[in-house]
């Protein structure tokens, strides 16, 4: 019975390791912070530099926080994991754990607790960190891009439907203009007819303005690498957005903003010095 239990435990550990490896292999980069919360200074005891070195040693592409990031990472921050090291309490031992989070701050991997009995802080922290990294080493990490199947059918159909709606509005405007011309040619010119002409002209101008507003407000989603570019009827690229791990949530490239769907409505949310601001968007995917 004891042998069966030990065998089951080993199988669970192996399965957990393989699952973690598969998850981490989908990420191309690891971002290492410049300072850990449990230390007072940046890269104190060279612990952050050692973290970057160890990630590189075990196959990762490690970047320091704030440095110039590669173009693909700038376009898609979800290609990177954010690393952190945390100190566990202990009287006679220095204990450190390494944690990895995705672009949504969800923890995707945590190492074992690395330990050291050294009294010197420099040696204790580096030894505990190296001990924690034995779990990272065991993963045998290798980057494997996770390509999702995409289709443009929905975008084309949505754009076609919108164009039809705009054309119908144009046809109505033309019909109103023709009606106005017929009334102008009428022999019996009375105040009532004149009033109708004025009203008809107002209606035509109003509907024409509505058409222009519809054409200017609709943004068409055109698929690009790792996301979409949103263009108006000009066509002009208004926003470039990058996919995230969450459905219907996108990062806006070059701006401190996100675009997400709430119910049937698409919203863009900006972070400003005055707080968070929202604006409704008419997006056709």
């Amino acid at each position: 019975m004891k042998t069966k239990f030990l065998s089951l435990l080993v199988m669970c550990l192996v399965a957990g390791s393989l699952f973690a490896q598969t998850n981490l292999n989908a990420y191309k980069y690891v971002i290492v912070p410049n300072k850990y919360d449990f230390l007072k200074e940046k890269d104190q005891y060279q612990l952050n530099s050692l973290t970057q070195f160890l990630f590189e040693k075990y196959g990762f592409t490690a970047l320091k926080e704030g440095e110039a990031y590669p173009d693909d990472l700038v376009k898609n921050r979800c290609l990177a994991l954010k690393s952190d090291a945390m100190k566990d309490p202990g009287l006679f031992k220095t204990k450190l754990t390494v944690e990895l989070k995705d672009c949504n701050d969800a923890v995707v991997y945590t190492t074992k607790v690395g330990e050291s009995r050294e009294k010197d802080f420099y040696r204790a922290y580096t030894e505990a960190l190296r001990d924690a990294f034995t779990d990272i080493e065991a993963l045998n990490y290798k980057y494997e891009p996770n390509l999702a199947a995409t289709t443009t059918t929905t975008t084309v159909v949505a754009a076609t439907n919108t164009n039809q709606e705009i054309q119908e509005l144009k046809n109505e405007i033309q019909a109103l203009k023709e009606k106005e011309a017929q009334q102008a040619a009428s022999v019996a010119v009375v105040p009532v007819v004149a009033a109708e002409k004025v009203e008809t002209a107002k209606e035509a101008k109003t509907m024409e303005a509505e058409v222009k507003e519809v054409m200017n407000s609709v943004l068409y989603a055109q698929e690009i690498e790792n996301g979409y570019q949103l263009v108006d009827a000009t066509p002009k690229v208004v926003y470039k957005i990058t996919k995230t791990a969450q459905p219907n949530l996108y990062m806006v490239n070059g701006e401190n903003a996100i675009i997400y769907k709430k119910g049937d409505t698409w919203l863009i949310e900006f972070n400003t010095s005055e707080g968070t601001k929202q604006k409704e968007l008419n997006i056709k995917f």
Side-chain angles (χ1 to χ4, degrees):
M1 183 69 180
K2 185 176 181 181
T3 303
K4 289 183 179 180
F5 175 77
L6 290 175
S7 299
L8 182 61
L9 180 61
V10 170
M11 289 176 64
C12 289
L13 291 174
V14 171
S17 176
L18 290 174
F19 178 74
Q21 178 184 353
T22 302
N23 278 348
L24 297 187
N25 286 348
Y27 298 93
K28 189 174 182 179
Y29 303 101
V30 172
I31 297 175
V32 179
N34 295 311
K35 177 184 174 297
Y36 290 127
D37 290 341
F38 58 88
L39 296 176
K40 296 180 180 179
E41 301 174 4
K42 289 184 178 180
D43 203 18
Q44 193 170 1
Y45 306 116
Q46 295 183 314
L47 206 61
N48 303 81
S49 297
L50 177 60
T51 303
Q52 184 179 18
F53 168 79
L54 290 173
F55 274 121
E56 293 279 355
K57 180 179 179 181
Y58 298 129
F60 290 84
T61 299
L63 306 170
K64 274 292 186 68
E65 181 182 20
E67 71 176 76
Y69 294 152
D71 290 341
D72 58 347
L73 181 56
V74 172
K75 294 177 182 178
N76 183 9
R77 290 301 178 92
C78 292
L79 285 175
L81 292 167
K82 294 179 287 185
S83 70
D84 196 8
M86 293 159 292
K87 183 180 180 182
D88 292 354
L91 292 176
F92 304 107
K93 293 181 181 179
T94 298
K95 300 179 180 180
L96 294 181
T97 303
V98 178
E99 186 178 79
L100 294 172
K101 294 182 178 180
D102 64 14
C103 59
N104 296 310
D105 284 333
V107 177
V108 297
Y109 185 76
T110 305
T111 68
K112 69 175 184 179
V113 179
E115 299 181 348
S116 174
R117 290 183 177 273
E118 292 287 342
K119 295 181 179 180
D120 177 73
F121 285 134
Y122 182 92
R123 296 182 63 181
Y125 282 127
T126 55
E127 186 176 285
L129 185 66
R130 287 180 179 275
D131 186 30
F133 259 88
T134 58
D135 274 3
I136 303 291
E137 179 184 13
L139 293 174
N140 294 317
Y141 163 85
K142 183 179 179 182
Y143 174 57
E144 297 174 356
N146 185 11
L147 301 177
T150 56
T151 177
T152 59
T153 303
T154 303
T155 302
V156 173
V157 172
T160 302
N161 290 340
T162 302
N163 289 335
Q164 290 175 349
E165 293 171 1
I166 293 173
Q167 187 59 47
E168 289 174 0
L169 286 172
K170 287 182 176 179
N171 292 339
E172 289 183 24
I173 290 174
Q174 185 61 33
L176 286 170
K177 288 182 177 179
E178 291 174 357
K179 181 180 179 182
E180 180 185 359
Q182 291 173 359
Q183 290 176 342
S186 176
V187 177
V189 180
V190 295
V192 175
V193 174
E196 288 178 354
K197 287 173 61 179
V198 172
E199 190 64 29
T200 301
K202 288 182 179 180
E203 291 176 359
K205 289 181 179 180
T206 300
M207 292 197 67
E208 190 169 6
E210 290 175 355
V211 170
K212 290 181 180 179
E213 184 178 354
V214 170
M215 294 177 67
N216 291 332
S217 65
V218 175
L219 297 178
Y220 304 97
Q222 298 177 345
E223 188 172 4
I224 57 176
E225 184 179 1
N226 298 321
Y228 299 90
Q229 61 181 14
L230 305 181
V231 301
D232 59 19
T234 309
K236 171 188 172 184
V237 177
V238 181
Y239 300 110
K240 287 188 177 181
I241 59 177
T242 300
K243 296 176 182 178
T244 69
Q246 300 297 321
N248 295 330
L249 173 64
Y250 300 90
M251 304 292 293
V252 180
N253 296 353
E255 297 190 38
N256 190 11
I258 59 172
I259 289 178
Y260 62 97
K261 193 171 187 181
K262 184 176 182 181
D264 295 326
T265 303
W266 286 98
L267 297 172
I268 182 169
E269 184 170 295
F270 296 90
N271 286 325
T272 68
S273 58
E274 300 175 359
T276 302
K277 293 186 177 181
Q278 293 181 342
K279 177 183 175 183
E280 185 173 332
L281 296 178
N282 186 2
I283 304 176
K284 299 294 183 180
F285 280 90

